[in-house]
mmCIF file of all heavy atoms in Angstrom:
data_model
loop_
_atom_site.group_PDB
_atom_site.id
_atom_site.type_symbol
_atom_site.label_atom_id
_atom_site.label_comp_id
_atom_site.label_asym_id
_atom_site.label_seq_id
_atom_site.Cartn_x
_atom_site.Cartn_y
_atom_site.Cartn_z
ATOM 1 N N THR A 297 94.149 107.546 64.679
ATOM 2 C CA THR A 297 93.974 107.943 66.063
ATOM 3 C C THR A 297 92.483 108.112 66.350
ATOM 4 O O THR A 297 91.723 108.574 65.496
ATOM 5 C CB THR A 297 94.711 109.281 66.356
ATOM 6 O OG1 THR A 297 94.069 110.336 65.613
ATOM 7 C CG2 THR A 297 96.191 109.196 66.030
ATOM 8 N N LEU A 298 92.112 107.699 67.564
ATOM 9 C CA LEU A 298 90.683 107.750 67.974
ATOM 10 C C LEU A 298 90.618 108.004 69.475
ATOM 11 O O LEU A 298 91.605 107.798 70.191
ATOM 12 C CB LEU A 298 90.068 106.382 67.684
ATOM 13 C CG LEU A 298 89.771 106.081 66.213
ATOM 14 C CD1 LEU A 298 89.430 104.596 66.049
ATOM 15 C CD2 LEU A 298 88.689 106.945 65.646
ATOM 16 N N PRO A 299 89.452 108.465 69.940
ATOM 17 C CA PRO A 299 89.275 108.543 71.402
ATOM 18 C C PRO A 299 89.472 107.168 72.003
ATOM 19 O O PRO A 299 89.337 106.140 71.340
ATOM 20 C CB PRO A 299 87.813 109.005 71.558
ATOM 21 C CG PRO A 299 87.507 109.725 70.249
ATOM 22 C CD PRO A 299 88.285 108.995 69.216
ATOM 23 N N TYR A 300 89.859 107.142 73.303
ATOM 24 C CA TYR A 300 90.075 105.867 74.025
ATOM 25 C C TYR A 300 88.815 105.012 73.944
ATOM 26 O O TYR A 300 87.702 105.543 74.013
ATOM 27 C CB TYR A 300 90.383 106.193 75.484
ATOM 28 C CG TYR A 300 90.919 105.040 76.281
ATOM 29 C CD1 TYR A 300 92.297 104.786 76.320
ATOM 30 C CD2 TYR A 300 90.079 104.177 76.974
ATOM 31 C CE1 TYR A 300 92.812 103.701 77.065
ATOM 32 C CE2 TYR A 300 90.574 103.105 77.677
ATOM 33 C CZ TYR A 300 91.942 102.894 77.734
ATOM 34 O OH TYR A 300 92.443 101.829 78.432
ATOM 35 N N PRO A 301 88.965 103.698 73.737
ATOM 36 C CA PRO A 301 90.210 102.902 73.733
ATOM 37 C C PRO A 301 90.861 102.754 72.344
ATOM 38 O O PRO A 301 91.615 101.787 72.165
ATOM 39 C CB PRO A 301 89.711 101.565 74.233
ATOM 40 C CG PRO A 301 88.341 101.452 73.665
ATOM 41 C CD PRO A 301 87.770 102.842 73.645
ATOM 42 N N GLY A 302 90.628 103.701 71.434
ATOM 43 C CA GLY A 302 91.337 103.646 70.157
ATOM 44 C C GLY A 302 92.792 104.059 70.319
ATOM 45 O O GLY A 302 93.224 104.407 71.439
ATOM 46 N N PHE A 303 93.539 104.099 69.208
ATOM 47 C CA PHE A 303 94.955 104.474 69.340
ATOM 48 C C PHE A 303 95.056 105.958 69.755
ATOM 49 O O PHE A 303 94.449 106.817 69.126
ATOM 50 C CB PHE A 303 95.699 104.248 68.008
ATOM 51 C CG PHE A 303 97.151 104.446 68.159
ATOM 52 C CD1 PHE A 303 97.978 103.387 68.551
ATOM 53 C CD2 PHE A 303 97.751 105.704 67.985
ATOM 54 C CE1 PHE A 303 99.333 103.590 68.747
ATOM 55 C CE2 PHE A 303 99.100 105.904 68.196
ATOM 56 C CZ PHE A 303 99.910 104.856 68.564
ATOM 57 N N PRO A 304 95.820 106.263 70.800
ATOM 58 C CA PRO A 304 95.811 107.633 71.324
ATOM 59 C C PRO A 304 96.534 108.642 70.443
ATOM 60 O O PRO A 304 97.663 108.433 69.993
ATOM 61 C CB PRO A 304 96.559 107.488 72.668
ATOM 62 C CG PRO A 304 97.299 106.232 72.608
ATOM 63 C CD PRO A 304 96.666 105.342 71.603
ATOM 64 N N THR A 305 95.886 109.781 70.233
ATOM 65 C CA THR A 305 96.506 110.865 69.442
ATOM 66 C C THR A 305 97.826 111.310 70.073
ATOM 67 O O THR A 305 98.750 111.717 69.356
ATOM 68 C CB THR A 305 95.531 112.069 69.322
ATOM 69 O OG1 THR A 305 96.224 113.148 68.671
ATOM 70 C CG2 THR A 305 95.032 112.512 70.634
ATOM 71 N N ASP A 306 97.955 111.165 71.397
ATOM 72 C CA ASP A 306 99.161 111.650 72.077
ATOM 73 C C ASP A 306 100.373 110.747 71.794
ATOM 74 O O ASP A 306 101.485 111.095 72.203
ATOM 75 C CB ASP A 306 98.950 111.712 73.590
ATOM 76 C CG ASP A 306 97.983 112.844 73.919
ATOM 77 O OD1 ASP A 306 97.670 113.636 73.027
ATOM 78 O OD2 ASP A 306 97.514 112.896 75.065
ATOM 79 N N LEU A 307 100.163 109.605 71.103
ATOM 80 C CA LEU A 307 101.316 108.776 70.718
ATOM 81 C C LEU A 307 101.488 108.716 69.215
ATOM 82 O O LEU A 307 102.325 107.997 68.696
ATOM 83 C CB LEU A 307 101.129 107.360 71.301
ATOM 84 C CG LEU A 307 101.370 107.245 72.808
ATOM 85 C CD1 LEU A 307 100.926 105.888 73.331
ATOM 86 C CD2 LEU A 307 102.834 107.478 73.144
ATOM 87 N N GLN A 308 100.752 109.529 68.503
ATOM 88 C CA GLN A 308 100.809 109.513 67.027
ATOM 89 C C GLN A 308 102.163 109.971 66.513
ATOM 90 O O GLN A 308 102.789 109.299 65.680
ATOM 91 C CB GLN A 308 99.669 110.388 66.477
ATOM 92 C CG GLN A 308 99.571 110.463 64.973
ATOM 93 C CD GLN A 308 100.148 111.801 64.447
ATOM 94 O OE1 GLN A 308 101.258 111.808 63.915
ATOM 95 N NE2 GLN A 308 99.423 112.867 64.613
ATOM 96 N N SER A 309 102.666 111.059 67.045
ATOM 97 C CA SER A 309 103.949 111.576 66.575
ATOM 98 C C SER A 309 105.093 110.606 66.869
ATOM 99 O O SER A 309 105.973 110.381 66.054
ATOM 100 C CB SER A 309 104.270 112.936 67.244
ATOM 101 O OG SER A 309 103.255 113.851 66.963
ATOM 102 N N GLN A 310 105.026 110.000 68.046
ATOM 103 C CA GLN A 310 106.075 109.044 68.451
ATOM 104 C C GLN A 310 106.108 107.841 67.495
ATOM 105 O O GLN A 310 107.146 107.399 67.048
ATOM 106 C CB GLN A 310 105.886 108.571 69.894
ATOM 107 C CG GLN A 310 105.994 109.651 70.960
ATOM 108 C CD GLN A 310 104.670 110.311 71.276
ATOM 109 O OE1 GLN A 310 103.916 110.635 70.352
ATOM 110 N NE2 GLN A 310 104.385 110.569 72.552
ATOM 111 N N MET A 311 104.896 107.354 67.102
ATOM 112 C CA MET A 311 104.828 106.207 66.171
ATOM 113 C C MET A 311 105.326 106.661 64.790
ATOM 114 O O MET A 311 105.941 105.884 64.084
ATOM 115 C CB MET A 311 103.383 105.722 66.063
ATOM 116 C CG MET A 311 102.955 104.818 67.222
ATOM 117 S SD MET A 311 103.989 103.342 67.383
ATOM 118 C CE MET A 311 103.492 102.380 65.964
ATOM 119 N N MET A 312 105.041 107.903 64.445
ATOM 120 C CA MET A 312 105.519 108.365 63.107
ATOM 121 C C MET A 312 107.044 108.340 63.053
ATOM 122 O O MET A 312 107.628 107.900 62.055
ATOM 123 C CB MET A 312 105.021 109.788 62.854
ATOM 124 C CG MET A 312 105.428 110.319 61.478
ATOM 125 S SD MET A 312 104.924 112.018 61.259
ATOM 126 C CE MET A 312 103.212 111.809 60.836
ATOM 127 N N ALA A 313 107.671 108.711 64.160
ATOM 128 C CA ALA A 313 109.154 108.649 64.184
ATOM 129 C C ALA A 313 109.641 107.229 63.988
ATOM 130 O O ALA A 313 110.498 106.935 63.170
ATOM 131 C CB ALA A 313 109.666 109.214 65.519
ATOM 132 N N LEU A 314 109.001 106.306 64.685
ATOM 133 C CA LEU A 314 109.393 104.877 64.557
ATOM 134 C C LEU A 314 109.186 104.383 63.118
ATOM 135 O O LEU A 314 110.054 103.786 62.523
ATOM 136 C CB LEU A 314 108.552 104.035 65.538
ATOM 137 C CG LEU A 314 108.653 102.502 65.372
ATOM 138 C CD1 LEU A 314 110.029 102.008 65.768
ATOM 139 C CD2 LEU A 314 107.582 101.828 66.224
ATOM 140 N N LEU A 315 108.020 104.732 62.555
ATOM 141 C CA LEU A 315 107.679 104.189 61.231
ATOM 142 C C LEU A 315 108.478 104.862 60.115
ATOM 143 O O LEU A 315 108.500 104.385 58.973
ATOM 144 C CB LEU A 315 106.164 104.351 61.003
ATOM 145 C CG LEU A 315 105.319 103.529 61.974
ATOM 146 C CD1 LEU A 315 103.822 103.910 61.833
ATOM 147 C CD2 LEU A 315 105.510 102.034 61.720
ATOM 148 N N SER A 316 109.178 105.929 60.443
ATOM 149 C CA SER A 316 109.957 106.618 59.398
ATOM 150 C C SER A 316 111.115 105.744 58.909
ATOM 151 O O SER A 316 111.693 106.001 57.861
ATOM 152 C CB SER A 316 110.490 107.956 59.925
ATOM 153 O OG SER A 316 111.494 107.718 60.887
ATOM 154 N N VAL A 317 111.455 104.699 59.713
ATOM 155 C CA VAL A 317 112.533 103.789 59.268
ATOM 156 C C VAL A 317 112.017 102.349 59.160
ATOM 157 O O VAL A 317 112.775 101.376 59.222
ATOM 158 C CB VAL A 317 113.738 103.833 60.237
ATOM 159 C CG1 VAL A 317 114.442 105.155 60.184
ATOM 160 C CG2 VAL A 317 113.310 103.484 61.651
ATOM 161 N N ALA A 318 110.689 102.200 58.950
ATOM 162 C CA ALA A 318 110.099 100.859 58.788
ATOM 163 C C ALA A 318 110.450 100.318 57.409
ATOM 164 O O ALA A 318 110.835 101.055 56.498
ATOM 165 C CB ALA A 318 108.592 100.930 58.977
ATOM 166 N N ARG A 319 110.294 98.985 57.278
ATOM 167 C CA ARG A 319 110.578 98.293 55.994
ATOM 168 C C ARG A 319 109.354 98.445 55.077
ATOM 169 O O ARG A 319 108.696 97.451 54.789
ATOM 170 C CB ARG A 319 110.811 96.802 56.245
ATOM 171 C CG ARG A 319 112.138 96.501 56.830
ATOM 172 C CD ARG A 319 113.124 96.038 55.746
ATOM 173 N NE ARG A 319 114.408 95.690 56.339
ATOM 174 C CZ ARG A 319 115.241 96.610 56.911
ATOM 175 N NH1 ARG A 319 114.820 97.875 56.961
ATOM 176 N NH2 ARG A 319 116.367 96.256 57.426
ATOM 177 N N GLY A 320 109.002 99.646 54.669
ATOM 178 C CA GLY A 320 107.829 99.789 53.816
ATOM 179 C C GLY A 320 107.079 101.065 54.146
ATOM 180 O O GLY A 320 107.562 101.900 54.935
ATOM 181 N N THR A 321 105.866 101.176 53.600
ATOM 182 C CA THR A 321 105.132 102.448 53.745
ATOM 183 C C THR A 321 103.974 102.275 54.746
ATOM 184 O O THR A 321 103.265 101.282 54.716
ATOM 185 C CB THR A 321 104.556 102.865 52.371
ATOM 186 O OG1 THR A 321 105.672 103.089 51.500
ATOM 187 C CG2 THR A 321 103.731 104.144 52.484
ATOM 188 N N SER A 322 103.822 103.257 55.623
ATOM 189 C CA SER A 322 102.735 103.277 56.642
ATOM 190 C C SER A 322 101.837 104.459 56.358
ATOM 191 O O SER A 322 102.297 105.510 55.869
ATOM 192 C CB SER A 322 103.323 103.388 58.036
ATOM 193 O OG SER A 322 104.312 102.425 58.264
ATOM 194 N N VAL A 323 100.552 104.318 56.737
ATOM 195 C CA VAL A 323 99.599 105.431 56.577
ATOM 196 C C VAL A 323 99.061 105.807 57.957
ATOM 197 O O VAL A 323 98.562 104.916 58.679
ATOM 198 C CB VAL A 323 98.419 105.030 55.626
ATOM 199 C CG1 VAL A 323 97.432 106.176 55.522
ATOM 200 C CG2 VAL A 323 98.976 104.672 54.263
ATOM 201 N N ILE A 324 99.188 107.072 58.319
ATOM 202 C CA ILE A 324 98.723 107.547 59.623
ATOM 203 C C ILE A 324 97.595 108.544 59.411
ATOM 204 O O ILE A 324 97.747 109.549 58.657
ATOM 205 C CB ILE A 324 99.866 108.223 60.406
ATOM 206 C CG1 ILE A 324 101.015 107.250 60.661
ATOM 207 C CG2 ILE A 324 99.338 108.764 61.726
ATOM 208 C CD1 ILE A 324 102.215 107.837 61.365
ATOM 209 N N VAL A 325 96.436 108.297 60.008
ATOM 210 C CA VAL A 325 95.307 109.228 59.932
ATOM 211 C C VAL A 325 95.062 109.812 61.329
ATOM 212 O O VAL A 325 94.830 109.066 62.282
ATOM 213 C CB VAL A 325 94.036 108.525 59.411
ATOM 214 C CG1 VAL A 325 92.901 109.526 59.253
ATOM 215 C CG2 VAL A 325 94.314 107.832 58.073
ATOM 216 N N GLU A 326 95.125 111.152 61.423
ATOM 217 C CA GLU A 326 94.928 111.838 62.720
ATOM 218 C C GLU A 326 93.477 112.314 62.740
ATOM 219 O O GLU A 326 93.104 113.283 62.059
ATOM 220 C CB GLU A 326 95.922 112.993 62.835
ATOM 221 C CG GLU A 326 95.677 113.927 64.035
ATOM 222 C CD GLU A 326 95.642 113.207 65.380
ATOM 223 O OE1 GLU A 326 96.610 112.515 65.700
ATOM 224 O OE2 GLU A 326 94.607 113.321 66.088
ATOM 225 N N ASN A 327 92.659 111.640 63.538
ATOM 226 C CA ASN A 327 91.228 111.959 63.574
ATOM 227 C C ASN A 327 90.837 112.864 64.735
ATOM 228 O O ASN A 327 89.682 113.269 64.820
ATOM 229 C CB ASN A 327 90.421 110.648 63.702
ATOM 230 C CG ASN A 327 90.530 109.818 62.439
ATOM 231 O OD1 ASN A 327 90.313 110.325 61.324
ATOM 232 N ND2 ASN A 327 90.944 108.572 62.579
#
Side-chain angles (χ1 to χ4, degrees):
T297 66
L298 286 168
Y300 193 88
F303 188 87
T305 174
D306 291 349
L307 285 169
Q308 180 257 104
S309 302
Q310 296 91 316
M311 281 301 287
M312 182 183 281
L314 170 67
L315 295 171
S316 70
V317 293
R319 283 261 181 293
T321 297
S322 308
V323 178
I324 299 178
V325 183
E326 171 56 55
N327 292 310

